[in-house]
Amino acid sequence: MQLYNTLSAREREQLIEEAGKDRLTISFYKYANIGNPQILRNHLFIAWNEMDVLGRIYVAHEGINAQLSVPAENFETFKAHLDSITFLENVRLNIAIEQDNKSFLKLKVKVRKKIVADGLNDSTFDVTNKGIHVGAEQFNELIEDPDTVLVDMRNHYESEIGHFKNAITPDVDTFRDSLDIIERDLAEHKEDKKLVMYCTGGIRCEKASAYYKHKGFKNVFQLEGGIIEYTRQVKAKNLENKFLGKNFVFDHRRGERISEDVIAHCHQCGKPCDTHVNCANEACHLLFIQCEECAVAMDNCCSVECQEVHGLPYEEQKKLRKGKGASNKIFKKGRSPVLKYKK
């Protein structure tokens, strides 16, 4: 019985190209009490591997967080399987705004302590006492209210390429970093302002809204389904789009365009650009913003040092990496000192 991925990303990419079939990129989450996450994890892997599902799925005692790619022809089978699991029946599926058949190249189902690394002690507050969920139309009305404080619950490299007009965008590397910073900065508005939050697909706001209510915020709202569902509703209902730029996504696409606005800049030359890339030097892999001209000039690398390593024969590069842990720059997300125009 196969319980783990056996193909490399390159092998899977080749199979996808040979198949020539469309795939759908989907995300969903659900907070639920799961007694044995390992059993659920194995069940999901076996069933979804048979359907050629690829993606990154986290399972914990508190629920499931899934970002995945499924062949379009298998979507109904996949949906039927979800509905066969009691707590996932009719779960909302966020369908990607821009599709890419290679958004995911492996199926990874992992058991984690939490489905989102929030750093919170859930026993200290009522996680079910969440904020009011609002759709796109009400959200648009709320954020025009002068008594509203709009907060982006994502990380700095996400909001750098796209965010809602007039949103507070915390300069943080992780979700857990933002929670206390936002509470501190907005402490004087706990009773007189409406706290409205949003994130990519809604999951970060689920826990955050309950946390802020516990901390004394009286009027807490969250965007239902996040930026992804907001964009779908805006198009379906012909509403005004108040999001500027791109929505950062955690797969090979790295972003999907919501508006034509380009609000970020190339981290190497400073020209308008909102294309995230990873440094081509596999020992670095730094995530940063790079324009097409700099990509050509720098061989898709973040620095001259990495460019020199990337130019070596592959076997020599492997020797240089041998015995070394992952570069810490991987997690700096555009903050490396080698980037002249970093945010």
Side-chain angles (χ1 to χ4, degrees), residues 15 59 73 77 97 121 150 158 181 250 255 291 303 305 313 328:
L15 287 177
V59 180
E73 64 184 14
T77 303
I97 298 156
N121 182 353
L150 178 62
E158 299 175 78
I181 291 174
F250 293 88
C291 69
S303 66
E305 178 186 14
N328 194 43

Side-chain angles (χ1 to χ4, degrees), residues 26-293:
I26 300 167
S27 61
F28 70 88
Y29 67 88
K30 185 74 174 183
Y31 280 100
N33 183 20
I34 298 176
N36 193 323
Q38 187 64 48
I39 290 178
L40 176 61
R41 180 264 167 212
N42 292 346
H43 171 72
L44 294 178
F45 187 94
I46 292 169
W48 292 355
N49 191 51
E50 285 288 320
M51 300 176 206
D52 196 22
V53 172
L54 305 170
R56 185 190 309 110
I57 300 94
Y58 297 143
V59 180
H61 285 291
E62 68 174 3
I64 182 172
N65 181 12
Q67 300 167 65
L68 48 83
S69 166
V70 59
E73 64 184 14
N74 292 345
F75 175 76
E76 293 301 330
T77 303
F78 172 76
K79 180 66 171 64
H81 179 258
L82 285 181
D83 289 341
S84 72
I85 301 171
T86 305
F87 79 95
L88 291 179
E89 186 176 6
N90 295 321
V91 66
R92 188 192 63 246
L93 301 178
N94 280 334
I95 309 296
I97 298 156
E98 295 180 350
Q99 295 295 338
D100 185 329
N101 289 343
K102 300 175 186 176
S103 58
F104 290 99
L105 297 175
K106 292 184 179 183
L107 175 59
K108 296 181 179 180
V109 188
K110 298 183 177 182
V111 174
R112 291 285 177 88
K113 289 184 179 181
K114 289 195 169 189
I115 56 176
V116 174
D118 52 36
L120 297 174
N121 182 353
D122 294 356
S123 65
T124 61
F125 66 101
D126 182 2
V127 297
T128 66
N129 185 25
K130 296 177 287 189
I132 299 171
H133 290 62
V134 296
E137 190 168 2
Q138 187 178 355
F139 180 83
N140 278 357
E141 294 173 358
L142 271 172
I143 64 178
E144 293 298 329
D145 186 336
D147 289 327
T148 288
V149 177
L150 178 62
V151 180
D152 190 322
M153 298 305 300
R154 302 171 303 152
N155 305 325
H156 79 90
Y157 55 91
E158 299 175 78
S159 60
E160 182 176 5
I161 63 169
H163 55 74
F164 281 101
K165 299 175 184 177
N166 302 320
I168 295 172
T169 56
D171 187 23
V172 295
D173 292 324
T174 66
F175 173 53
R176 66 167 67 90
D177 292 338
S178 68
L179 294 170
D180 292 337
I181 291 174
I182 292 168
E183 186 201 356
R184 181 195 67 206
D185 291 350
L186 300 180
E188 62 185 57
H189 298 302
K190 288 186 176 182
E191 297 194 12
D192 67 328
K193 296 287 187 180
K194 300 182 182 74
L195 175 59
V196 180
M197 300 176 292
Y198 69 89
C199 58
T200 307
I203 188 169
R204 282 175 273 192
C205 293
E206 290 289 327
K207 193 74 69 73
S209 66
Y211 176 74
Y212 287 131
K213 290 184 72 174
H214 167 70
K215 287 293 184 175
F217 286 88
K218 301 301 183 184
N219 301 294
V220 181
F221 301 83
Q222 62 192 84
L223 179 57
E224 174 72 24
I227 299 164
I228 299 174
E229 175 63 12
Y230 172 87
T231 305
R232 188 194 69 78
Q233 291 184 20
V234 162
K235 292 180 179 179
K237 299 179 180 181
N238 197 28
L239 303 174
E240 180 184 357
N241 173 37
K242 295 182 180 292
F243 189 91
L244 303 172
K246 275 185 175 180
N247 177 33
F248 183 94
V249 292
F250 293 88
D251 58 57
H252 288 284
R253 295 173 299 151
R254 300 187 186 90
E256 48 189 12
R257 185 159 297 287
I258 309 300
S259 80
E260 295 305 312
D261 305 275
V262 178
I263 66 172
H265 299 84
C266 173
H267 287 163
Q268 292 177 313
C269 73
K271 70 176 290 186
C273 177
D274 55 11
T275 302
H276 271 109
V277 300
N278 288 104
C279 179
N281 174 12
E282 292 189 22
C284 173
H285 209 60
L286 174 73
L287 180 73
F288 68 108
I289 297 174
Q290 185 180 53
C291 69
E292 293 181 0
E293 290 84 352

